[in-house]
Amino acid sequence: MIVHRILVPNVIRKNALDKSVFNVREKDKHDIILLNPPFAGKEHKSITSNYPIKTKATDGMAIQYVHRHLKSGGKAAIILPDGKILYKEGLYKRIREEWLEKCNLHSIISLPQGAFTSTGAAIGTKIIFFDKNGPTKDIWFAEVQGDFSKKKLISDENFKHIYNLFKNRSISEVSWIKTIDQLKEENFDLSPTNPNKRKENKIIDLNKV
């Protein structure tokens, strides 16, 4: 906040997930929500009663919380780890299915392992963008390329190519689109493999065989 010259911010320290999402009042909804929930976090069982789909996982609660606190026409972005919340069946599939039905989840950008190494999370992650303007019809997927570490941090420069593709939802070697029907067939898996990635050709030296 200080870096952005907000010297007297109105910040309240509390557990946002410890709040019922049933019948959220219009005055408590927001135009824009940006969120990076704790990776692999767990909440007390008592807090699960605040959510229609009961899960102790913080990312599962966060998804339910965010789309219920968006105003009609609102926009949101959330960072999630490449974990079971994105592909596993059961409760997680129900959370994803509801998310896609209530929101237009239009874009998912994958970040490579190492993007968050400097903060202690050396795992792959995804930035998910969605609007509260109707159900999802298709999702534009893209992959940021590069190797990152504590000594080589990810920067704005690494996003330039993806941003140019994002503006027109272009399809390329690192971007593709899946329709909602395709996603239904795949159990609403939000971590699919890039179908456009070139396969490396292996060269065999016959003199060494």
Side-chain angles (χ1 to χ4, degrees):
M1 300 294 278
I2 293 173
V3 168
H4 289 83
R5 298 182 181 177
I6 302 174
L7 302 180
V8 189
N10 182 20
V11 177
I12 300 172
R13 182 185 177 92
K14 66 177 183 178
N15 184 356
L17 297 176
D18 191 11
K19 182 178 180 181
S20 174
V21 299
F22 294 98
N23 303 315
V24 178
R25 296 175 298 179
E26 194 63 27
K27 74 179 189 69
D28 294 326
K29 295 182 180 181
H30 309 280
D31 296 300
I32 298 175
I33 298 178
L34 305 176
L35 185 67
N36 181 4
F39 294 170
K42 295 288 183 181
E43 280 289 359
H44 191 272
K45 185 178 180 181
S46 62
I47 295 182
T48 65
S49 62
N50 294 326
Y51 300 86
I53 303 175
K54 314 299 182 188
T55 174
K56 292 182 181 180
T58 51
D59 45 14
M61 291 183 185
I63 291 170
Q64 297 181 73
Y65 181 94
V66 170
H67 72 69
R68 284 175 169 81
H69 281 81
L70 269 184
K71 288 182 178 179
S72 178
K75 301 177 182 295
I78 182 171
I79 296 177
L80 293 175
D82 284 335
K84 53 190 176 183
I85 188 63
L86 296 176
Y87 61 82
K88 195 172 181 180
E89 295 192 18
L91 290 176
Y92 297 102
K93 178 186 174 183
R94 286 172 53 198
I95 290 172
R96 296 194 304 274
E97 186 173 5
E98 182 192 52
W99 194 9
L100 295 172
E101 287 176 351
K102 293 184 178 294
C103 297
N104 175 24
L105 200 163
H106 55 83
S107 306
I108 296 180
I109 298 177
S110 297
L111 303 180
Q113 289 188 5
F116 283 90
T117 299
S118 61
T119 61
I123 58 174
T125 50
K126 286 178 170 54
I127 311 173
I128 302 179
F129 300 88
F130 56 100
D131 303 334
K132 195 74 173 286
N133 61 359
T136 302
K137 294 180 180 179
D138 55 47
I139 300 178
W140 181 80
F141 292 88
E143 296 177 329
V144 173
Q145 303 295 300
D147 295 318
F148 307 106
S149 64
K150 289 184 178 180
K151 294 183 178 180
K152 184 183 178 183
L153 302 179
I154 194 168
S155 68
D156 292 346
E157 189 68 28
N158 301 112
F159 286 92
K160 281 188 175 180
H161 179 55
I162 295 299
Y163 178 66
N164 290 330
L165 295 171
F166 173 82
K167 288 187 287 187
N168 297 309
R169 291 167 62 86
S170 302
I171 295 175
S172 71
E173 186 181 335
V174 295
S175 59
W176 66 100
I177 290 176
K178 286 213 167 191
T179 66
I180 189 63
D181 290 334
Q182 290 175 305
L183 292 165
K184 285 180 180 177
E185 292 176 0
E186 299 170 359
N187 292 319
F188 300 98
D189 186 346
L190 299 183
S191 60
T193 302
N194 182 351
N196 302 329
K197 194 171 185 179
R198 293 178 185 174
K199 294 181 179 179
E200 295 183 3
N201 294 320
K202 293 184 178 180
I203 301 175
I204 300 176
D205 186 345
L206 296 178
N207 294 320
K208 296 182 179 180
V209 176

